[in-house]
Amino acid sequence: MSRMDAASKLSRGQVTRYAIGSLGTGGFSTLPGLVLVYYLTDSLGVTALAAGIIVTAAKIWDVLIDPVIGGISDRAFGRTGTRRGLMVIGALGLPIAFVLTFAVPGGIGDLASALWVLVAFMLAATCFSLFQVPYIALPAELTSDYRERTRLLTWRVVLLTIAILLFGAGGPEIRALFPDDPRLGYLVMAIAAAVVLGVGLYVASTVAPQRPLLPVRPGASIATHYRDGIAVLRKNQPFRALLGTFMLQGLATGLMLAAAQYVARWILHDETAVTQLFVALIAPAVLMAPVWKRIADRIGKERAFRLASAAFLVATVALAVMVWAPGWWIVAPVALAGSAYAGMQTLPMAMLPDLIAHDHTKVGGDNRSGVFSGVWTAGETTGMALGSTVLAIVLASTGYIETTAGVEVIQPNLAVSGIAVSFSILPAALMLLSLVTLSRYRLREHDIIGTST
């Protein structure tokens, strides 16, 4: 590998500020996925199927706008020399919309409550995309060095896992401070989370480069943005393989995330046990993120990614035993899943900017970082959103009984088994399929370095 030049070397400040963005992206990806369906079914009295439709509809909107935002981001980069403008708008708007999502007025009925959540969450998803799409495009522009990108994304994932713990464990703990008024608990939780979301996103926006690195064509219609997105999918086989893998794994982890609160209440019989589950998941992930970087430096990112995925598969297969023998023993395979999850986040996100740089070198022309990141974000969002959708379908098909705050119900055995399957067998099947798609990713380190030197 050629010696790293000054422009390729990232300062500690750049790495730190970029990583802090994961406090926002990780928090928004985690907390709604963990509590939103549960909030709808067990506090607002919305049916499980309707709750799934609400979450899915908001995410479909997100998927539709991501490629457009990617194209707009590329144009802004060419016109102003930075992607920061959209990121700041998202950083300011997301906290407000997030609080509104959990600020449903009392006494308006389940239908009106469902519509309130749908509109507010769609607004939140829009603001999140305004930040997330250009944020994902930045690594390809911040450095041209193969291993520096791994370093940058490693520390991002360290902060991402901390954010998952902070929001995934801390959010329910804040909610639990108000046992007599769960709806107030959700609102206070949302306000506290919104502060961290806003600060994390705004700090990360300051790392955006202030000058254009590559030419970008001016002006483009919405249809052009979609055509550009379809083009990168059609013409770039490694991108299709990596995105397909990431989507399937996002679906698996999103399904487990959405099911975790139900596992805590109906399998471990302790609503607050979700905190212990998150600690078991995230503590190993924080420790393992730098380890996966070292493994990737030694054997290559794609091989390390395959190893992490296989470890996660083993964990979900072990969790399948909970269908017949539920208990606190599940903490051990959850910890293994957490160790693997660090690699499943660090490595594909570090491979993406390599792929973008390789595409530009081979194809030439306009800077398409925003197009790639827009399609990537749409795919990631689809995977995570469908996790909640699949859970809602499982709950509805197994007879899960929705309720309102303060009203106790007894779930049928089939519904409890469905929750266990959603946390184990279904994610295991998705992980196995993701290893098939990953086998089709054929870019190696020498391919990347050979086109960047």
Side-chain angles (χ1 to χ4, degrees):
M1 184 171 66
S2 63
R3 185 172 58 187
M4 190 186 310
D5 58 38
S8 298
K9 178 68 175 178
L10 295 169
S11 70
R12 290 183 180 179
Q14 286 176 303
V15 173
T16 300
R17 282 181 289 150
Y18 186 80
I20 286 173
S22 285
L23 289 177
T25 61
F28 184 72
S29 298
T30 299
L31 197 53
L34 176 65
V35 303
L36 190 55
V37 172
Y38 189 71
Y39 171 63
L40 286 162
T41 60
D42 284 52
S43 286
L44 302 182
V46 178
T47 66
L49 187 58
I53 291 172
I54 289 169
V55 174
T56 303
K59 292 301 184 178
I60 288 174
W61 167 250
D62 196 359
V63 169
L64 291 175
I65 64 174
D66 284 341
V68 177
I69 292 175
I72 293 172
S73 177
D74 281 343
R75 288 167 52 197
F77 184 53
R79 186 177 64 253
T80 67
T82 182
R83 298 184 188 273
R84 191 180 179 217
L86 292 181
M87 297 173 72
V88 171
I89 295 173
L92 297 177
L94 179 59
I96 297 172
F98 189 77
V99 171
L100 288 174
T101 301
F102 294 94
V104 179
I108 63 173
D110 55 352
L111 177 59
S113 296
L115 291 174
W116 176 291
V117 172
L118 174 62
V119 173
F121 194 52
M122 286 181 67
L123 178 60
T126 301
C127 293
F128 179 70
S129 290
L130 289 172
F131 174 88
Q132 173 83 337
V133 171
Y135 179 66
I136 290 177
L138 293 185
E141 297 161 356
L142 286 169
T143 178
S144 60
D145 187 83
Y146 179 84
R147 296 193 176 185
E148 275 294 279
R149 290 171 183 149
T150 308
R151 172 178 167 240
L152 178 66
L153 273 301
T154 294
W155 289 108
R156 180 199 164 187
V157 170
V158 169
L159 267 290
L160 177 69
T161 52
I162 291 173
I164 293 173
L165 177 61
L166 179 66
F167 285 82
E173 287 296 308
I174 293 174
R175 179 195 60 191
L177 295 175
F178 302 86
D180 296 329
D181 192 349
R183 291 169 70 133
L184 177 60
Y186 277 108
L187 179 59
V188 174
M189 175 200 73
I191 293 171
V195 173
V196 181
L197 289 174
V199 171
L201 299 191
Y202 186 81
V203 169
S205 73
T206 65
V207 81
Q210 296 299 303
R211 57 185 176 83
L213 303 180
L214 296 169
V216 180
R217 74 176 184 270
S221 65
I222 292 177
T224 299
H225 296 318
Y226 284 116
R227 283 196 297 269
D228 289 344
I230 293 172
V232 299
L233 276 173
R234 187 180 70 252
K235 297 178 180 179
N236 196 305
Q237 189 277 332
F239 182 60
R240 290 198 306 273
L242 188 62
L243 179 60
T245 301
F246 202 66
M247 285 180 63
L248 287 167
Q249 295 187 355
L251 175 54
T253 55
L255 177 56
M256 294 179 71
L257 177 67
Q261 182 69 77
Y262 293 90
V263 170
R265 180 171 182 184
W266 299 110
I267 293 179
L268 299 179
H269 305 292
D270 182 0
E271 193 174 68
T272 64
V274 69
T275 301
Q276 288 92 321
L277 289 177
F278 266 82
V279 171
L281 177 71
I282 300 307
V286 172
L287 296 175
M288 284 297 296
V291 175
W292 285 114
K293 177 188 181 299
R294 295 190 189 97
I295 295 173
D297 287 345
R298 179 176 292 273
I299 67 174
K301 298 178 190 180
E302 70 289 336
R303 291 174 182 162
F305 184 25
R306 190 176 296 114
L307 181 61
S309 302
F312 196 94
L313 172 61
V314 170
T316 51
V317 169
L319 283 168
V321 180
M322 69 187 292
V323 176
W324 302 277
W328 279 97
W329 62 267
I330 68 174
V331 169
V334 166
L336 175 60
S339 299
Y341 180 75
M344 288 163 51
Q345 287 292 303
T346 301
L347 300 168
M349 292 300 297
M351 292 158 69
L352 177 62
D354 294 336
L355 191 153
I356 293 173
H358 181 265
D359 173 84
H360 180 72
T361 303
K362 288 295 188 182
V363 177
D366 299 331
N367 179 357
R368 300 196 295 176
S369 296
V371 174
F372 275 97
S373 63
V375 175
W376 181 271
T377 303
E380 180 182 13
T381 300
T382 299
M384 292 297 292
L386 289 177
S388 295
T389 303
V390 171
L391 175 65
I393 292 172
V394 171
L395 293 177
S397 62
T398 56
Y400 184 85
I401 303 172
E402 65 276 355
T403 185
T404 55
V407 178
E408 291 294 329
V409 298
I410 298 176
Q411 297 295 343
N413 291 334
L414 184 59
V416 176
S417 295
I419 292 169
V421 168
S422 299
F423 198 70
S424 57
I425 295 175
L426 290 180
L430 291 165
M431 289 303 301
L432 184 61
L433 186 57
S434 77
L435 285 170
V436 175
T437 59
L438 181 56
S439 68
R440 297 180 58 80
Y441 183 86
R442 299 186 178 95
L443 277 183
R444 299 295 183 260
E445 181 174 356
H446 61 82
D447 299 316
I448 307 299
I449 294 175
T451 58
S452 61
T453 57

